[in-house]
Amino acid sequence: MRRALPALLLVAGMSPQQAAGAEVARDTCRLLTRQEIADIEGGTVVEDKSSRRVAGGLALSDCFYRCDPSELSVRVEVTRRALNSAPSPRQRWRAVFQAQRDFEQEQPGERRAGEKEKPNPARPVAGVGEEAFWVGNPVTGSLYVLKGDFYLRISVGGSDEEAVRIRKASDLARKVLGRL
């Protein structure tokens, strides 16, 4: 049946590249090796657990790599289109991050009286995918990466400074992107 899946996806209107990517995304836990996580994050993967769900016409494939120590665990999520008639992940990306671009372009004096600073704004991250943003704070965060018609969310744990966590998430994202 695994070999039949790309053919079924082609019949469903996906390109060969989309079909191949969807096959890989069937098990998101295959996108990173335990050794890659150990090399970049520092923890030893003791378990990986995948899940899949569909929401709003988007298919989300997720893998949680539980590490020892547990605070060094990693999560990778791939978002793709579930149905050809649904909004594409790229459209969803634009809707989410356009508000961030608009916010960045405002001058502080242009904010309305009483309007607060946006908490934990997304920050652009260069050199990963077509476009990437870090969303987080000094304690927790995720790297969102757009490429083609899918995007990733990668979260890394640990007590490293935020800049180090962004670098680690970026390094992991580059490895994932090379496999999709």
Side-chain angles (χ1 to χ4, degrees):
M1 178 64 183
R2 286 182 71 79
R3 289 185 175 191
L5 181 64
L8 291 173
L9 293 171
L10 285 169
V11 170
M14 291 184 144
S15 72
Q17 184 178 20
Q18 288 171 318
E23 174 67 13
V24 170
R26 283 176 36 87
D27 187 358
T28 307
C29 292
R30 294 188 307 178
L31 296 174
L32 290 171
T33 68
R34 290 175 177 224
Q35 187 61 52
E36 289 169 335
I37 291 172
D39 291 346
I40 292 171
E41 178 67 334
T44 302
V45 176
V46 295
E47 176 185 30
D48 54 50
K49 185 174 182 180
S50 65
S51 65
R52 293 172 200 83
R53 64 191 182 285
V54 175
L58 298 174
L60 295 91
S61 301
D62 178 271
C63 184
F64 179 71
Y65 299 91
R66 187 171 63 84
C67 292
D68 183 26
S70 63
E71 63 267 11
L72 296 180
S73 296
V74 172
R75 180 175 302 277
V76 175
E77 182 179 83
V78 180
T79 301
R80 296 181 173 277
R81 183 190 311 245
L83 306 168
N84 282 336
S85 62
S88 74
R90 184 175 283 276
Q91 290 168 318
R92 172 78 174 130
W93 176 275
R94 286 184 187 138
V96 169
F97 290 108
Q98 184 60 49
Q100 178 62 36
R101 288 185 202 96
D102 293 345
F103 183 82
E104 289 171 357
Q105 292 173 359
E106 286 182 359
Q107 297 300 318
E110 293 178 9
R111 291 194 183 95
R112 289 176 229 133
E115 190 175 46
K116 295 182 179 181
E117 288 286 322
K118 186 173 184 179
N120 306 323
R123 289 175 293 170
V125 176
V128 187
E130 293 174 37
E131 187 173 39
F133 289 94
W134 176 261
V135 178
N137 59 45
V139 178
T140 185
S142 295
L143 179 68
Y144 291 80
V145 181
L146 175 68
K147 183 174 180 187
D149 203 25
F150 69 89
Y151 61 87
L152 310 174
R153 179 178 61 89
I154 298 184
S155 301
V156 295
S159 58
D160 291 324
E161 290 184 10
E162 191 173 44
V164 173
R165 288 185 289 123
I166 292 170
R167 180 188 50 78
K168 287 179 175 183
S170 297
D171 290 346
L172 291 169
R174 285 184 197 94
K175 292 189 178 299
V176 170
L177 291 172
R179 294 183 176 119
L180 288 175

